Amino acid sequence: MNFKLLSASFGAILLTIHTSFGQITENPKVEESSVPYVKIKKVELTDVNTIIYLQFVERQSKQQPQFRSQPRMSPLPDSRIPQFPQQGISQSQIWLDPETRLYKPGEIDKKFKFIRAENITTTTKTSVANGDTVDFVAYFERLTPGIEEFDFYEGRSSNGNQSWNFYGIHVKNPLKKQPEKPSKPIAKATVPPAKKPAAKPAAKAPQKPAPAPAAKKEAEIAVLKGTVYNAKTKEPIAAQLSYIENGDTLQVRSSSGKYRVGVDAGEQYKFRVMARGYYGSSFGLAPGDSSGKSFDQDVYLTPLIVGETILLPNIYFETSKYTLLPESFEELNRLVDVMRDSPTVKIRVEGHTDNVGDFDKNLELSRQRAESVKNYLIEKGIESSRIEAKGYGGTRPLTKGSEEERKKNRRVEFVITEM
């Protein structure tokens, strides 16, 4: 065997030994991701790193080019927007936040820091044209052996930009087998030679310990997870969650109904849940009010079907009047969005009161309140022909219990009359 052949064989052996140390997962299963246009192509675990290979694809409509504010994409200032309406050419800007971390789901203390990236910037923004594909690589600290599911959490957002987050990434990362330690031979006891007692050292004055450096406070992350269901069938449905973080509106889309969101444990949140063909819902979350770092919140949405009666839970009026209070606007705007998304839907707004007081006055007040809701929808651009308003006074109570229970009778509902 000549020297060149020997060298090549030796190099091949070294390469085999090196790659055997890593675990590679091609196209890993990802339970949920915050955006559809960034994919994880491969995860490689070496002795020192978790290496994630990702791909970004910029795709926009050629018929109606738009400059969207998508996760980790920001619209260019007006003075820099390219003017190519015929070709539908546009640009977005991408980068990777160096504060990105990997977490073990449900165990936020187990986090693995970002180290470096290839083919994507972390301090400046790179422009990407319509149709371009960018393959890039992110290096993190090595996942502890045995962690075979983790979250990729970028999470920090500013100036209308959203983050790239991936939840439930499944990889090959088995526990390492500990080699058995050989038993040490028992040595025969020997008697050490006698020694003179050492002189007792002089006592030193006690020294004041130096103050420990203050640890850098890092934002704690909490995890919110759950499933969005059809309230009638109890089956999971595709849905979208939106919430505000640091002044920016973020969105999480779920095709399976399951969702997982990382949030700042020191902030307060209000989540809005929407699904096409359903009436949306909302709920609040204040992670700091609880000692836990993981929260479960399932959501049940009512389908929009003819004949379905849907309660508008947060509609408020001035006492004994039909003037809408500002606290009602968020709920009414949700109904506006539903009617915009489903332009063939027609509804009947129904007002109800309790049965205390004059019957005729209650009937008139309920009608006026239903009309107030109708007028609000019209002001927001919904055609009046799609909305009917009717008052029932106290003729359709939900309960006849205590005074507190009877408050439920004072309500506004809507009924789907046509699809």
Side-chain angles (χ1 to χ4, degrees):
M1 182 180 290
N2 60 37
F3 178 75
K4 290 184 178 180
L5 183 57
L6 180 63
S7 299
S9 300
F10 184 68
I13 293 172
L14 284 179
L15 180 60
T16 302
I17 294 174
H18 174 74
T19 55
S20 65
F21 291 146
Q23 293 286 345
I24 296 178
T25 305
E26 300 280 356
N27 298 313
K29 176 185 176 183
V30 179
E31 293 184 3
E32 296 297 337
S33 60
S34 60
V35 293
Y37 42 82
V38 181
K39 304 291 185 183
I40 295 179
K41 307 298 289 184
K42 182 172 68 173
V43 177
E44 180 180 358
L45 300 174
T46 68
D47 287 343
V48 294
N49 292 126
T50 301
I51 308 172
I52 303 180
Y53 298 79
L54 302 101
Q55 185 178 79
F56 168 89
V57 179
E58 165 59 356
R59 292 178 181 173
Q60 293 185 353
S61 169
K62 293 185 178 181
Q63 296 178 349
Q64 294 181 336
Q66 54 182 343
F67 298 90
R68 54 189 177 181
S69 177
Q70 297 282 17
R72 281 300 157 209
M73 297 168 57
S74 60
L76 295 173
D78 292 344
S79 61
R80 295 176 58 197
I81 293 179
Q83 303 297 321
F84 302 110
Q86 292 83 3
Q87 294 86 357
I89 298 175
S90 62
Q91 284 188 331
S92 295
Q93 296 178 316
I94 64 170
W95 72 99
L96 184 66
D97 195 325
E99 295 297 323
T100 302
R101 297 287 186 267
L102 305 183
Y103 291 94
K104 181 179 179 181
E107 298 184 32
I108 308 304
D109 292 335
K110 293 187 177 179
K111 52 193 170 187
F112 304 89
K113 295 181 180 180
F114 172 82
I115 297 174
R116 63 186 176 89
E118 294 178 357
N119 204 37
I120 191 169
T121 57
T122 58
T123 56
T124 58
K125 303 174 184 179
T126 303
S127 295
V128 181
N130 182 22
D132 280 359
T133 298
V134 179
D135 292 294
F136 60 99
V137 185
Y139 289 77
F140 296 86
E141 294 175 334
R142 175 60 156 85
L143 290 173
T144 304
I147 296 180
E148 296 193 314
E149 181 183 353
F150 67 94
D151 296 341
F152 178 111
Y153 184 73
E154 189 176 30
R156 297 181 184 273
S157 305
S158 61
N159 301 323
N161 303 297
Q162 297 179 358
S163 300
W164 295 337
N165 298 322
F166 302 87
Y167 304 104
I169 305 167
H170 295 260
V171 295
K172 303 172 186 175
N173 186 26
L175 284 169
K176 290 183 178 179
K177 293 183 179 180
Q178 298 294 332
E180 295 183 2
K181 294 182 180 180
S183 57
K184 294 181 179 180
I186 300 175
K188 292 184 178 180
T190 56
V191 180
K195 292 183 180 180
K196 292 183 178 180
K200 189 175 182 180
K204 293 183 179 180
Q207 296 182 354
K208 189 175 181 181
K216 185 179 178 181
K217 188 176 181 181
E218 186 174 351
E220 292 187 7
I221 304 299
V223 172
L224 171 68
K225 56 187 175 69
T227 305
V228 183
Y229 294 99
N230 180 322
K232 293 293 183 182
T233 66
K234 304 301 186 291
E235 295 178 351
I237 57 174
Q240 173 181 298
L241 281 79
S242 61
Y243 62 101
I244 296 176
E245 183 175 81
N246 298 328
D248 297 309
T249 300
L250 308 182
Q251 295 180 345
V252 176
R253 292 179 175 86
S254 170
S255 59
S256 66
K258 294 182 179 180
Y259 70 90
R260 185 182 293 159
V261 182
V263 294
D264 188 334
E267 297 294 329
Q268 293 187 349
Y269 296 87
K270 187 164 187 179
F271 287 86
R272 184 177 178 184
V273 187
M274 302 292 291
R276 184 171 293 277
Y278 294 81
Y279 187 68
S281 180
S282 61
F283 64 90
L285 177 69
D289 294 342
S290 173
S291 58
K293 294 182 180 180
S294 181
F295 302 87
D296 295 312
Q297 180 71 51
D298 292 336
V299 182
Y300 294 83
L301 301 184
T302 304
L304 301 175
I305 55 179
V306 174
E308 188 68 30
T309 299
I310 300 174
L311 174 68
L312 293 170
N314 300 302
I315 305 300
Y316 305 99
F317 301 90
E318 292 185 8
T319 303
S320 301
K321 296 181 180 180
Y322 54 90
T323 303
L324 283 164
L325 295 177
E327 294 89 337
S328 308
F329 297 162
E330 182 177 352
E331 188 70 43
L332 291 174
N333 290 339
R334 183 177 296 122
L335 180 54
V336 169
D337 289 342
V338 167
M339 299 195 72
R340 285 175 178 168
D341 291 341
S342 305
T344 61
V345 165
K346 293 185 179 181
I347 66 172
R348 179 175 65 249
V349 179
E350 299 181 345
H352 301 270
T353 66
D354 56 28
N355 56 5
V356 178
D358 185 87
F359 178 88
D360 292 332
K361 288 183 178 179
N362 284 340
L363 194 64
E364 177 63 13
L365 179 61
S366 65
R367 184 194 64 79
Q368 290 173 326
R369 288 181 170 181
E371 288 285 351
S372 293
V373 172
K374 175 181 178 178
N375 291 335
Y376 183 92
L377 300 179
I378 293 172
E379 290 173 1
K380 293 296 182 178
I382 306 301
E383 296 178 4
S384 61
S385 59
R386 298 175 59 195
I387 313 164
E388 179 187 358
K390 193 168 184 177
Y392 290 95
T395 62
R396 297 186 179 183
L398 294 177
T399 179
K400 296 181 181 179
S402 64
E403 172 60 28
E404 190 65 27
E405 286 290 314
R406 288 199 299 271
K407 288 181 180 179
K408 297 178 182 179
N409 296 331
R410 301 191 290 267
R411 66 196 189 278
V412 176
E413 300 170 329
F414 71 94
V415 179
I416 306 293
T417 58
E418 189 175 326
M419 292 288 290

